[in-house]
Structures are given as C-alpha cells and as structure tokens.
Amino acid sequence: MRCYIRRVSDSIPFDVPIGVDPADIDFMGHVNNASYLKWVQEAVVSHWQKLAPADAVATHLWVALKHEITYRKPTFLGDDVIATVLLEKVQGARAFYGTVIRRGEEVLAEVKSSWCCLDAETLKPARLAREVIDRFFQPPDQATA
C-alpha cells in the first residue's frame, strides 16, 4: 500500500469562511454539534476543489469515514468563523485531514478526519496520483524546517 506521509508543517493551509446560520443554532443558543460536521465536509471538499487539478476533481469523489471532534468553546450566531484545513497524509485511497475551526484567535473546535477517495464513475475506492497529492504540500525546497 502506498503511503505518502509528508510533514504537516509542509501542508498548504486552506482557510474557508464559515457562515453561521440560524438553522445551526440549537436549543441552548449555540451551534449544534452536527453543524461542525457539515462545516468540516464543506471545508475539506472546498480544499480538494481548489488545489486539485480539474480532471482529478471531475473524476474523484470523497466520502467521510471518521470524524473525531474536540470542542473547545461554543460558537454563536453572528460569529466570524474560519475553518483551516490541512491534509496530513494520504495512504492508499484514504486521506487524513486536520481541521481547526476558529473565531479570531480562539480555537472553537479541532477535528481529525479520514476520508475515502472514490472513482466518480465506479464509486469504488481510488488511489490518487503522486502528482495530485503533491499539489497539497509545499515543495521540499520551500517547506520550513
């Protein structure tokens, strides 16, 4: 099984602004836990669509396999929220992501997730070409030590 492990510090961070909608708010007046999952999915898919070549985006789909969320602080309607996505590694057809959700400098939640890449036509697991994976990381000569 091919495993491309790069240093997380070499991963190109990708920021996604998150809109907190009234539908995200639960009976306690803050964002419901399920909304964080929706935000992570939107952020990871946006990251893929932005950095992957158009032909790879057209021929591959992503499904979530696992999310592990650590909630740090509640999020409220009207908050300016940013999700920062980092691709940590790719192993076979699986990708492992870290996503940090912030309000300014405050960390609201940290998410570790794994995803499976699918061939868009067959819906079977698909491995990505090394050249596609490399687009999500800084070249070694530009990466920080």
Side-chain angles (χ1 to χ4, degrees):
M1 180 181 306
R2 290 185 301 181
C3 181
Y4 298 120
I5 299 176
R6 306 278 299 261
R7 293 184 315 196
V8 174
S9 62
D10 295 345
S11 183
I12 298 171
F14 183 73
D15 291 337
V16 178
I18 302 295
V20 181
D21 296 322
D24 293 320
I25 306 303
D26 66 14
F27 66 96
M28 294 188 295
H30 57 68
V31 170
N32 183 285
N33 295 352
S35 293
Y36 290 87
L37 294 175
K38 175 183 72 170
W39 294 347
V40 169
Q41 175 142 347
E42 290 170 2
V44 168
V45 170
S46 293
H47 181 240
W48 165 250
Q49 292 171 339
K50 177 72 175 180
L51 295 180
D55 62 326
V57 172
T59 58
H60 296 89
L61 304 172
W62 289 94
V63 294
L65 299 174
K66 179 180 178 182
H67 295 293
E68 181 179 312
I69 303 177
T70 303
Y71 299 98
R72 302 287 181 199
K73 296 186 177 196
T75 308
F76 302 99
L77 188 64
D79 283 350
D80 289 323
V81 178
I82 299 286
T84 302
V85 178
L86 292 171
L87 176 61
E88 296 176 351
K89 71 177 179 176
V90 176
Q91 184 175 358
R94 292 184 298 161
F96 298 85
Y97 276 90
T99 304
V100 177
I101 299 171
R102 289 186 173 86
R103 173 183 51 230
E105 295 299 313
E106 291 180 291
V107 174
L108 304 173
E110 297 167 302
V111 184
K112 295 289 185 187
S113 58
S114 61
W115 298 77
C116 183
C117 181
L118 301 178
D119 179 284
E121 188 175 313
T122 67
L123 300 181
K124 292 185 179 185
R127 294 173 185 241
L128 294 171
R130 177 71 186 250
E131 305 81 56
V132 173
I133 295 166
D134 286 345
R135 293 178 72 127
F136 292 82
F137 295 91
Q138 296 178 43
D141 58 340
Q142 293 180 10
T144 58

